[in-house]
Structure formats: C-alpha cells, structure tokens
Amino acid sequence: MKPIIVIPARLASTRLPRKPLAEIGGRTMIEQVALRALEADLGRVVVAAGDQDIIDAVAHLDGVEAVLTAPDLPSGSDRVHAALQHIDPAGEHDVVVNFQGDLPSMDPQALRAVLAPVECGAFDIGTLVAPIHTDEELHASQIVKVACTFDDHPVARGVYFSRLPVPSGAGEHWHHIGIYAWRRQALERFVTLPPSGLERRESLEQLRALENGMSIGCVRIAEAPRGVDTADDLAFVRKAFTCP
C-alpha cells in the first residue's frame, strides 16, 4: 500500500466559526492536526482547504502540502476527493486516510492503526472506535456509536452507526472516531453516490457506504480523542495542551 493523509478543513463551521484557525498550544488547530499527521509517518500529508486562510496557516510547515478546494463541497469526503484529483490524478496512492481537521490531540500511533482493516484486504474502509465508559457519553447525540463485535479479533465489521445507543442489551458500546482509511476505488465510488435514506435520517455519511454494500472495518484504540466542535471543547483541548 501507498497511503496518503488528507485533512479536510473549512472555516464555515456553524457551532464554532473559523475553528481551524483557533489557537491551541501556540499554533492554529489546523497546524496541530497537520503535525499529528506528520508524526504518524504514513506518507504524504495534504490539507484540503475550503479557504485561503487555512492554506496560509500551514504554508510554513515542512512536509505539509495544501490544496484549495471549492468552499461549498457537501462533505469532508468530497473535499478529500477533490484534493486528490489535483495532487494525485494518476492514482499513485491506493489508500487515502481522511483525518478530521478538528482532532488536534490525536495520538499519531492510533492514527496509524486505521490502516489495519484495508491492509488485511477484507474491508473497503477502515475506521477507529474507542470504548464508551459513561452513560452521558452513551446517550450524547453528538457522539456516534457503532454496532460491532470484536470477540478475539483485532478488526470488527461495523454493522451500523447511530447517534442512539446501539446495540441494545448488555455489553460493550463503542464510540466512533471519524477517521477513515479509504481504498481509493471505494472513495471514488462513494462520492458518485447520492445521499442514502439512512444517511439523511441519521446525518451520518458512513451509512451511505453501508447501504451501498461497502464494508467498514473497525479497530479499537484505548481512548477517543476530544474533538473540537464547541467553545467548551476548545477550552478543554487548550488546557490539555498547556498542562504537563
């Protein structure tokens, strides 16, 4: 495999406007995310930006490329695909890691783990999950849950994703972390498909992949990183970067 990491980012966030440029640990958030991608040492690192200000923020980082994409693309997956058309039109990179631009505290070693499902050859897409520890986390609608069973296997098939607690009954529940390793052919197909019924209902684009017969393999990591979606999230992550 020859993977590439692409980080989609745009300024037009409704809950936290211009959040890629928020200061965290003396750098912008998009810089911190790009640095985590470099530390994972998987291959090329590209920021797929919907705004020139994001391009300017990472221009000084050695080893980080940046591509300006249309600002109104409907999803991060579409932004990743658009950047690939520009930087790798020949398809040299056969696996594409879509690394969300709001995970500045992501463990680089955990990021590497997302490749396992596509490395084994059994899945179209790889993603990460972490155990849910509290009822508050389980019932929070902003935290996506995954119905999957690991048993003694390192990779589990993602059967369903929901904002509700799934599956029902006693047992472990899993917090989905929105990072994907796409087989290039799967991403090319995905962006041509219209939004699916369950995708629209749950507002989760990974359901489009499942409804169209694509397979998603899940890998466990110890803890879910804190994503930055709100001012409270930003304050939490800023404190984590300043505390020893």
Side-chain angles (χ1 to χ4, degrees):
M1 297 195 310
K2 190 171 184 181
I4 184 172
I5 298 178
V6 184
I7 305 165
R10 65 190 184 104
L11 296 182
S13 169
T14 54
R15 286 184 287 183
L16 192 60
R18 297 180 67 82
K19 70 177 182 178
L21 304 183
E23 184 275 330
I24 297 174
R27 294 181 181 269
T28 62
M29 181 165 66
I30 191 62
E31 288 177 84
Q32 294 287 9
V33 173
L35 290 171
R36 302 297 87 74
L38 288 173
E39 290 161 7
D41 195 27
L42 292 176
R44 292 172 72 185
V45 174
V46 178
V47 173
D51 307 271
Q52 184 62 44
D53 286 353
I54 297 172
I55 300 281
D56 295 341
V58 299
H60 66 287
L61 293 179
D62 291 339
V64 176
E65 304 169 60
V67 177
L68 187 63
T69 60
D72 57 349
L73 292 172
S75 73
S77 299
D78 290 287
R79 197 170 306 285
V80 168
H81 180 258
L84 283 171
Q85 298 303 103
H86 178 77
I87 62 172
D88 185 29
E92 178 182 356
H93 295 282
D94 57 350
V95 173
V96 185
V97 177
N98 179 341
F99 181 21
Q100 302 281 26
D102 58 4
L103 293 172
S105 57
M106 184 70 200
D107 179 357
Q109 288 302 114
L111 181 58
R112 293 181 62 85
V114 78
L115 292 179
V118 291
E119 281 181 327
C120 75
F123 297 96
D124 299 304
I125 306 162
T127 196
L128 300 176
V129 301
I132 289 176
H133 299 295
T134 67
D135 283 344
E136 180 183 6
E137 187 180 7
L138 180 62
H139 292 281
S141 62
Q142 72 271 23
I143 293 174
V144 178
K145 275 67 71 173
V146 190
C148 64
T149 303
F150 285 94
D151 295 325
D152 294 325
H153 304 290
V155 179
R157 182 176 296 273
V159 178
Y160 193 70
F161 296 75
S162 180
R163 298 184 182 280
L164 293 175
V166 293
S168 64
E172 192 125 42
H173 287 89
W174 298 100
H175 177 152
H176 179 232
I177 301 157
I179 297 171
Y180 301 95
W182 291 86
R183 290 189 181 277
R184 183 71 174 263
Q185 302 95 316
L187 179 60
E188 297 282 354
R189 180 181 173 222
F190 179 84
V191 297
T192 68
L193 297 169
S196 68
L198 291 174
E199 175 189 2
R200 291 193 300 269
R201 192 164 176 172
E202 293 255 25
S203 296
L204 297 174
E205 67 174 352
Q206 60 269 47
L207 294 176
R208 186 193 320 176
L210 292 183
E211 285 193 86
N212 284 278
M214 297 184 198
S215 56
I216 302 177
C218 303
V219 177
R220 291 171 286 191
I221 64 172
E223 295 289 339
R226 180 73 170 256
V228 179
D229 288 317
T230 66
D232 286 344
D233 294 332
L234 180 59
F236 180 94
V237 172
R238 280 174 169 165
K239 184 177 180 180
F241 267 77
T242 57
C243 293

